Amino acid sequence: EDQVTQSPEALRLQEGESSSLNCSYTVSGLRGLFWYRQDPGKGPEFLFTLYSAGEEKEKERLKATLTKKESFLHITAPKPEDSATYLCVLQGGSEKLVFGKGTKLTVNP
Amino acid sequence: KAGVTQTPRYLIKTRGQQVTLSCSPISGHRSVSWYQQTPGQGLQFLFEYFSETQRNKGNFPGRFSGRQFSNSRSEMNVSTLELGDSALYLCASSLTEAAYGYTFGSGTRLTVV
């Protein structure tokens, strides 16, 4: 069974304090690993898709990386507007999306 | 361009009733999938439709059903509502059968009392 585990559950940072969010996974036939951002009361917003180990994607202060067992979302010099819940989502051979429980990030000014 | 539209945004129902939720995908998107989000379980996959055919189904009881119309609009129905069905129901659409870059709607908040 495909599984996704995100850590930590919650993370508090000061503005400008860089950190990383972790997503550990087990999958049969990886088709894609996705990162989404979700703000309270809204649907998830697509950030990145990673397809194979070694791949990296960047967008503004965010950088996603992928290994055969983990994905990291690195946040460089975060701002308060980066506060949100970040979701790691896995798609394996069954094509069903499997969601992690998310990491709630709070960035204090 | 218009995003994924879900209606209604909020709904309050009584136990035992049934409810129908609607989702209009982004124009041109043929794949629509539904998810349930609760604080305890997080986001869970309900089912996916592509060109009016159900392609995948999650581990939910038969009380949860859906359909997709020829214009790609989709509806989800829950019969005999239970208190535990209270959740945010999200719909997402995509161009192709695969889940690359799904776009989510803002969801329907269902409260069962």
Side-chain angles (χ1 to χ4, degrees):
Chain A
E1 184 179 335
D2 299 342
Q3 289 190 329
V4 178
T5 303
Q6 289 189 247
S7 61
E9 289 185 12
L11 181 62
R12 283 187 175 273
L13 299 173
Q14 288 299 124
E15 185 171 1
E17 179 186 2
S18 301
S19 188
S20 296
L21 313 183
N22 176 264
C23 171
S24 298
Y25 68 91
T26 56
V27 67
S28 176
L30 178 67
R31 291 177 61 88
L33 186 141
F34 314 94
W35 283 95
Y36 282 81
R37 167 195 171 126
Q38 186 173 24
D39 293 298
K42 296 187 177 181
E45 176 187 342
F46 173 75
L47 293 173
F48 304 109
T49 303
L50 302 166
Y51 296 107
S52 58
E55 191 173 359
E56 300 182 353
K57 294 274 180 73
E58 282 190 72
K59 180 180 179 180
E60 296 180 357
R61 295 177 293 282
L62 301 176
K63 179 179 177 180
T65 62
L66 182 66
T67 72
K68 289 189 177 179
K69 295 183 179 180
E70 294 177 303
S71 179
F72 292 93
L73 184 65
H74 306 278
I75 302 176
T76 302
K79 298 181 178 182
E81 53 262 42
D82 294 322
S83 297
T85 295
Y86 290 85
L87 298 167
C88 175
V89 188
L90 188 67
Q91 187 187 35
S94 71
E95 297 193 19
K96 298 179 185 180
L97 294 185
V98 177
F99 288 78
K101 295 284 179 72
T103 293
K104 183 176 180 180
L105 174 66
T106 303
V107 182
N108 297 313
Chain B
K1 59 181 179 181
V4 177
T5 303
Q6 291 189 245
T7 56
R9 285 281 283 132
Y10 301 92
L11 205 49
I12 299 176
K13 289 287 188 178
T14 305
R15 270 184 304 175
Q17 288 187 312
Q18 75 166 22
V19 66
T20 299
L21 312 182
S22 178
C23 173
S24 294
I26 290 174
S27 179
H29 284 194
R30 296 168 63 191
S31 174
V32 174
S33 54
W34 289 88
Y35 305 86
Q36 182 194 67
Q37 187 172 31
T38 59
Q41 298 297 320
L43 265 156
Q44 292 182 286
F45 170 75
L46 280 157
F47 27 68
E48 179 184 11
Y49 288 87
F50 183 83
S51 294
E52 302 179 66
T53 301
Q54 187 180 88
R55 292 192 62 244
N56 251 318
K57 191 176 190 307
N59 299 323
F60 278 81
R63 300 185 297 107
F64 292 81
S65 63
R67 59 178 175 170
Q68 186 181 31
F69 302 97
S70 58
N71 62 358
S72 293
R73 190 178 72 85
S74 179
E75 288 182 347
M76 189 190 93
N77 185 275
V78 187
S79 62
T80 319
L81 284 166
E82 301 177 359
L83 295 179
D85 296 333
S86 295
L88 180 66
Y89 289 89
L90 291 160
C91 163
S93 75
S94 174
L95 270 173
T96 66
E97 298 176 353
Y100 307 121
Y102 265 130
T103 302
F104 283 81
S106 294
T108 294
R109 172 72 64 182
L110 172 65
T111 302
V112 182
V113 298

